[in-house]
Amino acid sequence: MYESHFGITGPPFQLTPDPSFYFDSKGHHRGLAEFRRGLSEASGFIVVSGEIGAGKTTLVRTLLAELDPALVSVAQVLSTQLNAEELLRAILFAFGVAGNHSAQADPASTIRQFLAGLQKESRRAVLIIDEAQNLHPDAFEQLTDLISPASAELAPLQVCLVGQPELRAKIASNDMPKLRQRVGVSFHLGPIDQVETRDYIEHRLRRVGWTGHPSFDPAAFDEIFRWTQGVPRRINLLCNRLLLSRFLVSQTRIDAATVAQTARDLLVEIGEPDGSTQLPSLATPATSAHRAMAAIGGAPAGAANRAERDSISETGPLLCVVGGHSDHIKMAPLLHALAAWPGMPAAKLVRVYRNDALELNHDLFDGLDVATRAVNLDVIGGTYAEQAAELMKKFEFVIDHSQACAVLIIDGSDAALACGLVARRKGVPVVHVGAGLRASEGASAADMTRKLTDDLADVLYACENEAAMSLAAEGVPAERIRCVGTLLVDSLQMALRRLMEPGLAGMVAGAPTQFPIERNGYALVVLNKRVNVGDSQNLTELVSILRDVSRDVPLVWPMHARVTEQLRKSKLESLIARERISCIPVQAYVPYVELLRNATCVLTDSWNLQEEATALGIPCLMMGLYPQRMESTATDGIVSVGNSRALATRAVWDCIFNGGKRGRIPALWDGYTANRIAEHLAEWLPHVKRAAHAVA
């Protein structure tokens, strides 16, 4: 977003580990030397520990890039809350070992056969286990057994355990004497010092063509160290925010006061329980939209922070922003309700991304003439930062030329936050539908996005009481919160009414035909979160679980093209083809509901499908690593199975033999949410005024 402003070629302070930005501090230099020494011994354990954000992953990736794949087979296990058996199967998938991974097979023997094959090729194996402190004790014992046999027929297996400081404490305990004896190298990565903090910042800037802009006062570097204590991830987080804040006010100089103010803003947003002046480490990178919002300021958008400006134009449209397929589906009943409400300003659909969501679900918009009047921003491809920059520029043009009376956004997505931010800067009121939803535990980048979107909105429509209570607990004034229900149930009822029309039942495209639908019925699979389907390791684990489940009940999996491509890249297509798993194209919403309402249960990582399953009384099993939705009436019937094969199998059996766990339908999930929103907007919009936002 800010690269052109500073004349650099890319973002220098991204939070994702990148070996090309490796900084050879004194501690990292020693660690790299120790790591090389450990790898030269070709067997045993290497232990790498350090605080979150100390640079462990970057160090490991830097060294692994030096290894010759013709001599070394390298694998990495990322999901580590595993027992011994689960870890063995994760190792098989990490090395890409084909064969029988069923519960009856002996995975340890399969791994040894794999090592024997490497020995014949004069190769050895290196296994990286990230966040190893989370492994179960029996998993550590299993690893020790794997590397212990000294057989000439087996290639050496070297295991690198990477984790937080508690990993060292676990290994030093009296419970792991055998493992401790096999540790060849162990080192701990600490923070960099005050002098190196300046060198680190300038090093990363030079990697993207820095020529002196932005310029840092000498005291600014000292202030950055004071707030970050030399932890690289914290430095990246703060410096990225500094660059963004300077870009937004068209400046290039960074002084100590700017650092202190920006760091304080970060602490307000992210929180630090002990009240210290030390920025928390984030396990997940915030998107550019998070950073853009926070640089402007996250204060509530109430009258106290806004100066009144012009009255809203009577003819200015209500801009309704949609991103992906689910946004379009939820917006359909609302657009119908707005069109039917007397005196309502014209609603204009603003489509952020180039996709087929409108064409695919055109029947939901019948009678609205949406296609000819929609504003298509056509944001495609690129990084988060590039997409956010393009989106904000295009949406600002729309705001400037439409004289919009308000902007309506959905579900606190990256697109919703970026468009809400532009509207706020332009003094246009923001309405957020689907406000207040949070993960059940821990903070994530998605939760940060949702909260920042809530903070900037003038009106927040919550889908259930728990979401409204969450907003109130976060300090949102009661007058800005309305509990209205969920638009998704309105859409669901629209689809069910359509399915009652003659000839529309049984219209699923690519419906399963290769296996008979037996008395157990079928389970519907919907997986779309990037952390699950965009990561080869996680996707492999989920496919393994689905293969096991499919032996009890056939699976139908409407699959997005990007998931199909990831399966192909991960060489998982053939594994699925041998099981009772029917992969079909992404469906329009009406045939999708036909598929859903007849399912025995659903396996998903989608919060939207949680709502649909609850409304239809269908058991819902949540899979994968995506954070669970906060506890509420809507989640009473949800069973979380994560990446556990045993939990998934037991839950599916319960669905088959006992009907499964079914939730209670929350109050206001009655199909009239869109009407309630339209009624409130009709009362609220005539009285609201635009406000000017000063950017410090």
Side-chain angles (χ1 to χ4, degrees), residues 478-663:
E479 61 269 19
R480 288 168 54 202
I481 306 170
R482 304 282 293 193
C483 190
V484 296
T486 173
L487 286 175
L488 197 55
V489 171
D490 290 31
S491 304
L492 187 65
Q493 294 197 7
M494 284 179 64
L496 291 172
R497 289 193 294 270
R498 289 277 293 165
L499 287 169
M500 294 175 63
E501 298 174 13
L504 285 183
M507 60 188 294
V508 177
T513 57
Q514 71 268 41
F515 52 77
I517 298 301
E518 54 195 40
R519 62 185 178 86
N520 292 343
Y522 62 87
L524 179 65
V525 178
V526 175
L527 297 173
N528 54 32
K529 295 296 182 262
R530 187 182 300 270
V531 68
N532 291 322
V533 299
D535 178 87
S536 178
Q537 174 68 32
N538 291 339
L539 183 58
T540 300
E541 292 181 9
L542 292 176
V543 166
S544 173
I545 295 171
L546 293 174
R547 291 177 66 205
D548 279 4
V549 168
S550 71
R551 292 156 194 171
D552 296 313
V553 60
L555 305 182
V556 181
W557 189 351
M559 190 177 293
H560 193 281
R562 67 175 180 272
V563 181
T564 303
E565 178 62 18
Q566 185 63 38
L567 287 172
R568 186 191 64 77
K569 288 181 179 179
S570 303
K571 300 180 180 179
L572 297 171
E573 289 175 315
S574 60
L575 296 179
I576 290 178
R578 293 197 293 267
E579 307 294 342
R580 298 194 303 168
I581 303 176
S582 179
C583 300
I584 64 175
V586 171
Q587 302 293 298
Y589 193 63
V590 173
Y592 161 81
V593 170
E594 166 80 349
L595 199 59
L596 171 60
R597 70 173 178 173
N598 293 312
T600 302
C601 62
V602 298
L603 298 101
T604 187
D605 60 4
S606 167
W607 287 7
N608 285 331
L609 188 46
Q610 280 189 19
E611 293 187 6
E612 293 164 331
T614 297
L616 291 173
I618 296 171
C620 179
L621 316 183
M622 291 298 290
M623 299 183 69
L625 301 179
Y626 195 64
Q628 303 302 310
R629 182 169 164 169
M630 65 183 182
E631 295 295 325
S632 69
T633 307
T635 61
D636 281 350
I638 307 304
V639 177
S640 178
V641 300
N643 281 14
S644 169
R645 179 182 289 101
L647 287 177
T649 301
R650 283 199 297 269
V652 168
W653 285 351
D654 183 53
C655 295
I656 294 172
F657 298 114
N658 303 317
K661 186 179 180 183
R662 300 165 191 263

Side-chain angles (χ1 to χ4, degrees), residues 267-409:
L267 279 175
V268 169
E269 292 160 21
I270 303 170
E272 183 67 9
D274 62 6
S276 65
T277 57
Q278 177 177 302
L279 292 175
S281 292
L282 294 184
T284 325
T287 66
S288 60
H290 306 170
R291 299 189 290 267
M293 168 58 205
I296 290 295
N305 346 32
R306 294 189 172 190
E308 291 188 355
R309 203 168 72 180
D310 302 327
S311 297
I312 294 177
S313 166
E314 294 181 0
T315 58
L318 172 65
L319 299 182
C320 300
V321 179
V322 291
H325 282 241
S326 65
D327 283 1
H328 286 75
I329 290 164
K330 293 175 184 179
M331 192 63 76
L334 182 55
L335 290 180
H336 281 287
L338 293 172
W341 203 269
M344 183 68 65
K348 187 175 287 291
L349 192 67
V350 180
R351 304 182 64 235
V352 171
Y353 303 116
R354 183 179 299 177
N355 56 40
D356 63 351
L358 187 58
E359 294 81 1
L360 190 64
N361 298 289
H362 63 88
D363 51 345
L364 297 180
F365 297 89
D366 281 352
L368 293 176
D369 192 27
V370 169
T372 59
R373 295 188 291 110
V375 178
N376 296 297
L377 302 185
D378 283 340
V379 176
I380 57 172
T383 64
Y384 277 126
E386 291 166 344
Q387 286 190 0
E390 181 184 0
L391 169 55
M392 294 173 77
K393 181 177 179 181
K394 289 181 174 180
F395 191 64
E396 184 171 5
F397 180 87
V398 173
I399 290 281
D400 288 342
H401 289 77
S402 67
Q403 293 298 304
C405 66
V407 169
L408 187 146
I409 52 182

